[in-house]
Amino acid sequence: MNNYTTVNTFLLWGFSSFPKLKNLLFVMILSCHVTILFANVSIMVAIKLSQNLHTPMYFLLFSLSFSESCITMVVIPRMLADLLSESKTISLPECATQMFFFFGLASNNCFIMAAMSYDRYTAIQNPLHYHTLMTRTICFQLLMASAVAGFLISLCITTMIFNLSFCDSNNIRHFFCDISPVVHLACDYTSYREMVIFVLSAFVLVGSFILIMISYIFIVFIVVKMPSAKGRYKAFSTCSSHLTVVCVHYGFACFVYLRPKSSDSFTGDMLMAVTYTVLTPLLNPIVYSLRNKEMQTALRRVLQGVFKFFSQLTNRKPLNI
């Protein structure tokens, strides 16, 4: 038998390679985190309070914003704490919990984006029967299917990984418990398990991406046949925000999860992971708000209400006691 030392805790190496930049990174990531939460919460409040946004498209967007906010809460607070702390240890149960929720929410996002592409296809092909084909019940069923499928796949992957034996080194070369840096530390990680995890990851990323592309192929065929140039422009403009987010999200995710891994690639993967854990959740509300006039109007009302509330709060006269 090999003389292994059993590992009970991990050390999140994170950005320890850049000790001089930790204060700057902390300020930048904290600013992005606050902005992400504020932007996504603003979108959710705007959709909730605006009657004209109570449509399937915005119902799905509300769910995507909520899921994106949850992803940042799973990863970023721990990242910020590790930037300021000397002790960067994380126990096996904490690591497994973080991996389960991160991959579950990320998978949920992929399936929600597929549902959003189907929603756009339905709206363009059958505009007169759109509200009959995409009812609130159907939207809720799509969201439930996305969540169940995403977290079930995440449970399978997390269970398989944390049934491995971790030995000798406990340094995770990442700022959170991602799949590749963790399995790299296992001493009994076989090619069979590697193939199963790859297939499950590919099912989430490639499977949902294929569904999205199929929807857009049909959308293109429908739009090209439209006689009016104004109608074609309007149809494409309704899809542009979603397509922009899809390209950014899947581009970075596929680069990290579907390419061959080596120990030398973890630093690059860690830097790339910043994009889909910090920048992508920041990009989504910006893209949807900048390219959608209805959302801009609703957000403007929400922000005006917030500023009015705080102005009244600051101008309130003190009570005489």
Side-chain angles (χ1 to χ4, degrees):
M1 294 180 64
N2 294 326
N3 186 20
Y4 289 125
T5 302
T6 304
V7 171
N8 295 318
T9 60
F10 290 126
L11 179 66
L12 288 171
W13 189 250
F15 296 103
S16 299
S17 302
F18 315 101
K20 296 181 179 179
L21 297 177
K22 67 178 184 179
N23 292 330
L24 177 61
L25 287 170
F26 179 86
V27 173
M28 291 176 61
I29 294 172
L30 178 62
S31 301
C32 289
H33 185 44
V34 172
T35 305
I36 289 167
L37 294 178
F38 177 77
N40 281 298
V41 169
S42 298
I43 283 180
M44 289 187 284
V45 172
I47 293 172
K48 182 68 176 177
L49 297 180
S50 303
Q51 290 293 327
N52 62 316
L53 299 185
H54 290 182
T55 61
M57 180 179 73
Y58 292 107
F59 183 60
L60 294 172
L61 178 58
F62 181 98
S63 304
L64 181 63
S65 297
F66 177 76
S67 185
E68 291 281 14
S69 300
C70 291
I71 284 183
T72 61
M73 293 301 296
V74 169
V75 175
I76 296 181
R78 174 76 202 206
M79 188 199 313
L80 294 171
D82 287 340
L83 281 170
L84 297 181
S85 174
E86 295 296 329
S87 175
K88 307 178 190 302
T89 58
I90 184 171
S91 66
L92 261 68
E94 290 174 330
C95 190
T97 302
Q98 187 184 54
M99 181 183 293
F100 168 74
F101 280 104
F102 174 78
F103 199 80
L105 289 165
S107 302
N108 181 47
N109 280 2
C110 292
F111 294 129
I112 289 177
M113 288 184 187
M116 293 175 79
S117 67
Y118 172 72
D119 170 74
R120 291 298 83 206
Y121 163 71
T122 306
I124 291 173
Q125 180 173 17
N126 296 296
L128 298 178
H129 300 91
Y130 171 63
H131 292 286
T132 305
L133 296 172
M134 286 294 294
T135 62
R136 182 174 290 271
T137 301
I138 293 174
C139 288
F140 182 75
Q141 290 172 347
L142 288 172
L143 291 175
M144 287 301 297
S146 300
V148 170
F151 281 100
L152 187 60
I153 293 171
S154 180
L155 179 63
C156 293
I157 291 176
T158 305
T159 302
M160 185 177 298
I161 289 174
F162 284 89
N163 276 330
L164 299 171
S165 299
F166 298 97
C167 40
D168 295 340
S169 176
N170 68 338
N171 289 334
I172 297 178
R173 298 173 63 181
H174 214 296
F175 54 83
F176 73 100
C177 292
D178 205 359
I179 295 173
S180 297
V182 173
V183 298
H184 181 71
L185 304 178
C187 48
D188 55 351
Y189 186 51
T190 61
S191 57
Y192 167 75
R193 288 171 173 166
E194 181 180 11
M195 180 59 65
V196 172
I197 292 174
F198 177 81
V199 169
L200 290 174
S201 302
F203 174 77
V204 172
L205 290 172
V206 179
S208 59
F209 185 73
I210 288 174
L211 291 175
I212 292 171
M213 289 299 102
I214 290 173
S215 296
Y216 274 104
I217 288 172
F218 283 115
I219 287 172
V220 169
F221 282 137
I222 294 169
V223 172
V224 167
K225 294 179 182 179
M226 289 181 176
S228 170
K230 185 178 180 180
R232 289 195 296 270
Y233 173 79
K234 184 178 180 180
F236 277 126
S237 64
T238 60
C239 303
S240 59
S241 301
H242 177 252
L243 196 57
T244 302
V245 171
V246 164
C247 292
V248 174
H249 176 85
Y250 281 90
F252 289 123
C254 289
F255 179 81
V256 172
Y257 288 103
L258 299 183
R259 69 187 180 94
K261 294 292 186 295
S262 65
S263 58
D264 296 331
S265 67
F266 289 146
T267 301
D269 287 351
M270 182 184 69
L271 296 176
M272 190 66 68
V274 176
T275 58
Y276 63 80
T277 55
V278 179
L279 296 183
T280 302
L282 182 63
L283 176 68
N284 289 355
I286 293 174
V287 170
Y288 280 108
S289 60
L290 289 180
R291 301 182 66 88
N292 191 305
K293 292 183 179 179
E294 290 180 329
M295 182 58 68
Q296 289 176 10
T297 304
L299 285 172
R300 196 176 297 116
R301 289 200 201 102
V302 171
L303 294 177
Q304 286 174 352
V306 171
F307 290 139
K308 184 178 180 180
F309 171 77
F310 280 110
S311 63
Q312 290 176 350
L313 198 65
T314 54
N315 295 329
R316 183 178 296 174
K317 294 180 180 180
L319 296 174
N320 294 323
I321 300 176

